[in-house]
Amino acid sequence: MSAEDVPVPNDPSDALAAVVALRRLADQLEDAAVEQAMRSGWSWPEVAEALGVTRQAVHKKHAKRLIAGGVALRRRQ
Amino acid sequence: MSAIDHYINAVIVRGTAEAQEDGSAAVEAHHLLLAIASLDDTAAHRVLTSASLGRQTIREALGREFEHSLNAVGVSLASFDLPTPSRDPKHSPKIGPSARLALERGFAAATGKKDLRPAHLLLGVLNTEIGTVPRALALAGVDRVGLMARARETLASESW
């Protein structure tokens, strides 16, 4: 899709709803992508660096659900 | 606890489960609507079912609103094939701002705590032109204002 083809919503409510939907999609994509990476043997520092956040932030956000999901987490790099 | 306290608690517990299912960090107004649609034997539930709005229908309408809002900025949900991520069953989403507003509007729709009934909470969720709930209902061809009128009618004629 070229830049000219990307629609720009004229209605503020459509534009604001798009922000909400994109945030939700980004959250879903992050959950799926982090899990995929950790299942593939990535370490917390690697995932954190790829996302541009601290290791503590990514661990705090995802560790519990990955442990609950039975993902074998690497303790060391 | 009074019957309405039990009901409010049940709406929040059910809404929290809906938010958990979404992987949502917060319970939003649309999660409360799903909860109201899931709890039967109330006038609020009857108003929704009279408009063919069961939990599943509302979920589908919310899904369409999500896709529609993404399409508005050129993003197609169909291009993402996301695996279902693992969830932490112990994580409990907090009440978000939209759900808080919906509850406050519901409380304000009653003339006092003794008057407060499930249909007031439904009114609280429906009584806005802004946000996910009115957008999803409009896309599904649901007359939100008409639904509110029906909820008010039941409040005049039904005790619960």
Side-chain angles (χ1 to χ4, degrees):
Chain A
M1 191 181 273
S2 74
E4 290 129 47
D5 293 335
V6 176
V8 178
N10 292 322
D11 183 344
S13 66
D14 285 338
L16 292 167
V19 174
V20 174
L22 285 168
R23 282 191 182 133
R24 191 175 145 204
L25 181 63
D27 283 344
Q28 290 178 356
L29 189 57
E30 179 177 328
D31 284 354
V34 169
E35 183 158 346
Q36 185 187 39
M38 297 305 281
R39 283 188 190 278
S40 305
W42 283 49
S43 66
W44 288 117
E46 287 166 343
V47 171
E49 190 173 346
L51 288 173
V53 298
T54 64
R55 188 181 51 180
Q56 288 83 357
V58 77
H59 188 273
K60 187 179 175 192
K61 192 168 176 184
H62 298 285
K64 281 184 185 165
R65 68 177 188 87
L66 295 182
I67 291 165
V71 181
L73 302 175
R74 282 173 57 185
R75 291 188 176 272
R76 293 174 190 278
Q77 304 182 62
Chain B
M1 281 211 307
S2 64
I4 190 64
D5 287 328
H6 282 290
Y7 180 76
I8 293 167
N9 188 51
V11 166
I12 289 172
V13 167
R14 184 69 228 159
T16 303
E18 296 285 358
Q20 261 174 335
E21 195 179 316
D22 281 352
S24 173
V27 181
E28 301 293 352
H30 60 270
H31 297 124
L32 300 185
L33 181 61
L34 289 164
I36 291 169
S38 303
L39 298 165
D40 51 14
D41 288 331
T42 67
H45 185 264
R46 288 190 288 277
V47 167
L48 290 174
T49 49
S50 73
S52 303
L53 287 172
R55 179 190 171 273
Q56 191 53 36
T57 315
I58 296 169
R59 268 249 168 246
E60 285 161 13
L62 290 166
R64 278 196 299 277
E65 193 281 330
F66 184 42
E67 278 192 58
H68 179 86
S69 295
L70 290 173
N71 289 343
V73 285
V75 177
S76 167
L77 198 55
S79 49
F80 294 87
D81 188 16
L82 299 178
T84 307
S86 301
R87 304 281 180 222
D88 175 9
K90 289 184 193 145
H91 172 71
S92 186
K94 301 281 178 283
I95 303 287
S98 69
R100 195 169 298 279
L101 257 180
L103 290 171
E104 284 169 5
R105 286 182 178 132
F107 298 156
T111 51
K113 177 80 190 289
K114 282 186 180 168
D115 178 47
L116 188 61
R117 281 163 285 160
H120 289 113
L121 296 194
L122 176 61
L123 275 175
V125 174
L126 295 176
N127 193 12
T128 177
E129 292 175 7
I130 298 169
T132 305
V133 169
R135 287 175 62 84
L137 293 178
L139 276 171
V142 175
D143 174 12
R144 182 181 54 83
V145 174
L147 216 52
M148 287 173 64
R150 246 174 287 167
R152 289 199 183 94
E153 281 167 24
T154 67
L155 283 166
S157 60
E158 296 184 41
S159 60
W160 185 256

